Amino acid sequence: MNRILIVSNRLPVMIERRKGSFFYRQSTGGVATGLSSLYKNRESIWTGWPGIASNRLSSEDKAEITEHLENELNCHPVFLSQRDISLYYEGFSNKTVWPLFHYFPQYVVYDRQYWRAYQNVNERFAEKVLDIMREGDLVWIHDYQLMLVPRIIRQAKPEASIGYFHHIPFPSYELFRTLPQRRELLEGLAGADLIGFHTYDYARHFLSSLHRILGYENNLGQFTEADRPVRVDTFPMGIDYDRFANAFHDPNVQKEIKNIKKRVHDYEVILSVDRLDYTKGVPQRLEAYRELLKTHPEFREKIILIMVAVPSRTRVEHYQRLKDQVDEMIGMINGEYGTIGWSPVWYLYRSLPFATLSALYNLADVCLVTPVRDGMNLVAKEYVAAKQDGGMLVLSEMTGASRELGEAIIVNPNNHEEVTDALVQALKMNEHEIIQRNQVMKSRLRRYTVDRWGREFIERLEDMKDRHLEMLTKGLAETSRQTLLLNYRRAAARLILLDYDGTLVPLQHTPEKAKPGENLLRLIRRLATVPGNEVVVISGRDRTILENWFGDLPVGLAAEHGAWIRDGEWMMMEPLSGAWKEEIYSIIERYVDRTPGSFIEEKEFSLAWHYRKTGSELGAIRVRELIDDLIYLTANFNLQILEGDKVVEIKDSGVNKGRVAMHWITKRAWDFILAAGDDRTDEDMFAVVDDRGYTLKVGFGETEARYNLKSQKEVARLLEDLVGGKGGND
Ligand code: GDG
């Protein structure tokens, strides 16, 4: 089984120094606990920061820590100095990315020093991984602190298997675009083979930014980066269900329950647990609770809110201010509504042991989870799993978890009244209904545990590895390539059919830009002048352009998918009429007006609507509308609608590249045929050539062709090998 190299900002253990000795304590965060079962069941190694500033460590200390971590715990430390922590972690990670990705643009700090430190630390993480990496390892990188690591590893090890999981939201393009380093971050992530998000919305936002900023198109979540397929998918993180569900039976938890019960008397308990972070909506929650006490006096001295706030990022200014604000609000509520013997809010500003947390989950009648933005939120899931009898969850729709926990009372955290009403509803809901709702959620959480989440991610990553290998084998492997060259050399009569755009040159925004360079023309000329060779350029372009570009070369030409051919002289394959064009033109013209970036290309016997420069979403909508509009008309005229890559072409239905290919194939008995193309219009050609020769598709989509070539460069390289020398487009 392949080893898994987990990479995250923090290791699952934290180091503390007490009286000169080091102590290793389990980290409690969601990611650390989540991955621990995967970590135990497969051979895996963890790389991360051990939670202590390295300037407080001598080189002997570091050696001692490293030895212990590596030998006892399979962990490899990346040491960070106080400066790294304040610039990379508190700086770029938590003052730039965190607020922006959680829709707090007003909190974002842009600082070049932060960015430089982020780059530097990401490089050091990647170097550490590269040091330990062996062939066959799967690398799994976690979260927003390490977005550049996938690409750095990829550059050093192009064949590596790299997964990345993003634990926080990915914001919409409108927000993400404001980041000065937006491009670098996307490029960093695109170094992975698999990029995972908690929800479909985050994945969608990521793909939209990828398209608008880097120009990458995706097909059902898959895009191609430098000839390599990359998959974007959703994996909603689960919890260790049994751990929380069984905690109730643990004697320590029972003891805690008894202890706390003594103090809460008969009050109904509303529980709130989070890191004290401005994304968690704590002030809004307190506001809603205050409103409840104000507008529903019947609840006074009947309920309490136990608020657990775990200290977090306390050196960052916004967190300090939040702490002050929360302290003040709690003081105010307790002052305003408290009585002798009853405080409406019990405030615990610290991290609690697991037994206490579980006891609270079990005791709480309502769990109030109302972040204003949260990637997933595990507390909500833990509460549902832990609660033995009725207890209602009130959950913010801004959490990833709300996608899976629809039976909870779902609220908009910014709407105080709605939250207040939800609290009333939860406190009054009958036990039977609560249990029913919880059963549904429980069974869902029991099925999709964190263990399953981890396994599914790794399986999908392995799958990507297989897919990549499959592509490489469908690619022209060295042995097949040698056989192709041998067959070419042995043959006396050779036919070479070449599509142009996307096959000999990359696709361009406008058709005029794709002019062939000197090297390419030289290469085609050389190929065409080898005795016994016949080269044909088969294109959807019109004959004027083809004549302009290739007129002087001794090659056959086919324009407009074969409406016109030059086999000696230009001629029509069959008589055609362009009488239909006027009517169809006016229809397409309406689409041009309504679709910025699109335009019509008019040829003698066909019309093409190009929308490469239009945003993909609008393009996708318009293209369906256009086709719907045209479908009836084209049937009357005996026309065919061809969907190419970001182009729709309307032409006579009898004309296609297969027919042209047939014209040349039947000219004489060839003993070597090669056909290369890249899009759907070339499939007709591939079908006709079939096993009479070699068919090659540029790119990795579904195809009739026997082999896939990664890029136009690979086509050029192959043609160079045929003629035995240099060439290619410049
Ligand atoms: C990030 C994303 C995403 C909390 N207080 C105590 C305690 N906890 C444990 C909880 C839970 C974890 O910490 C908190 O996880 P969350 O998911 O609620 O929030 P973040 O820390 O912000 O996590 C988040 C997560 O990554 C995973 O992808 O869900 O959206 O922001 O497990 O139980 N544990 C103990 N004492 C406490 O006082 N022992």
Side-chain angles (χ1 to χ4, degrees), residues 64-76:
E64 183 194 324
I65 291 172
T66 307
E67 194 189 303
H68 181 86
L69 286 175
E70 286 186 8
N71 298 342
E72 307 294 321
L73 302 161
N74 251 343
C75 287
H76 289 248

Side-chain angles (χ1 to χ4, degrees), residues 167 198 237 275 280 310 351-352 374-378 382:
H167 289 265
H198 283 305
M237 186 172 175
R275 275 185 311 101
K280 303 286 182 183
V310 181
S351 173
L352 303 176
D374 209 340
M376 170 53 74
N377 195 291
L378 300 176
E382 292 167 1

